[in-house]
Amino acid sequence: MTLFFPSHRRTEPAVTSTVMVMTTSASVPTEGAITRGGAVTDRLVEANERYAAAFTDPGMDARPVLHVAVVACMDARLDLHAALGLELGDCHTIRNAGGVVTDDVIRSLTISQRKLGTRSIVLIHHTGCGLEAITEDFRTELEMEVGQRPAWAVESFRDVDQDVRQSMQRVRTSPFLLHTDDVRGFVFDVKTGLLREVDRAWRRCRRCG
């Protein structure tokens, strides 16, 4: 299923920006090629200078135009704005390893809803996620290496659909969120670029009932 958001029109001038193409590690040149052009951060700063030279204040405030917050994995293969047809100012984007709903994600969503007017929540996991390849033993390994056990959970999983369901449930049962009636979860296929909705039939049944 492809997720579609209705288009909208703005009265202010169109926003122009420089697009930075993100690559996976498999397509990055050798280390020597990178260092000849300077450190990666230096390259980003130089790109920002070029961006700022052509930048025009779009005149927006912090409230997302579409009143939606998107929670997704930090995986470099996910270009969320392009994949969802979003423009600058349309949404809040919250990303972490796995796109799972943690306490900190609830913190961001709570601020997003209560202070900045969002109502809908879209959760996006993806195929081939790195969290499927590790376990909570990662915390033990870290403890043995650095002498301190992390306070956070790895949030690893084996079934991506089930983890999306768990994330949706965490959102729907949070006492801090004002709007939990429009929460939908998806799996993004990194090979095709398509979204597949999790529990779509359940959502239809709930809406009709």
Side-chain angles (χ1 to χ4, degrees), residues 1-5 78 80 83-84 122-126 185-189 192-198:
M1 172 181 175
T2 301
L3 182 64
F4 174 78
F5 286 119
L78 274 65
L80 289 177
L84 302 178
V122 175
L123 308 175
I124 301 179
H125 285 28
H126 66 92
F186 300 83
V187 175
F188 177 84
D189 190 318
T192 67
L194 288 174
L195 290 175
R196 174 176 56 80
E197 185 160 10
V198 175

Side-chain angles (χ1 to χ4, degrees), residues 165-185:
R165 294 186 190 100
Q166 174 175 268
S167 290
M168 286 192 288
Q169 184 66 10
R170 287 178 177 177
V171 168
R172 289 171 177 152
T173 58
S174 172
F176 306 112
L177 299 176
L178 294 172
H179 309 290
T180 58
D181 55 323
D182 188 13
V183 180
R184 295 170 65 179

Side-chain angles (χ1 to χ4, degrees), residues 107-184:
R107 178 187 70 90
S108 294
L109 288 173
T110 301
I111 295 170
S112 176
Q113 288 195 351
R114 290 181 176 269
K115 297 300 182 182
L116 295 167
T118 60
R119 300 181 63 91
S120 300
I121 298 174
V122 175
L123 308 175
I124 301 179
H125 285 28
H126 66 92
T127 58
C129 184
L131 285 189
E132 296 180 75
I134 62 177
T135 69
E136 293 297 326
D137 290 340
F138 180 60
R139 297 171 70 228
T140 302
E141 295 168 5
L142 285 175
E143 181 181 17
M144 294 179 65
E145 179 181 335
V146 305
Q148 181 176 338
R149 189 173 183 82
W152 38 263
V154 177
E155 297 282 358
S156 59
F157 55 85
R158 292 293 176 269
D159 185 328
V160 65
D161 284 44
Q162 180 56 33
D163 204 66
V164 171
R165 294 186 190 100
Q166 174 175 268
S167 290
M168 286 192 288
Q169 184 66 10
R170 287 178 177 177
V171 168
R172 289 171 177 152
T173 58
S174 172
F176 306 112
L177 299 176
L178 294 172
H179 309 290
T180 58
D181 55 323
D182 188 13
V183 180
R184 295 170 65 179

Side-chain angles (χ1 to χ4, degrees), residues 21-35 38 40 43 76:
V21 179
M22 303 300 291
T23 61
T24 61
S25 58
S27 61
V28 172
T30 62
E31 183 177 352
I34 293 176
T35 55
V40 172
R43 291 171 58 186

Side-chain angles (χ1 to χ4, degrees), residues 89-100:
D90 279 346
C91 72
H92 281 158
T93 304
I94 305 163
R95 302 184 70 162
N96 64 20
V100 297

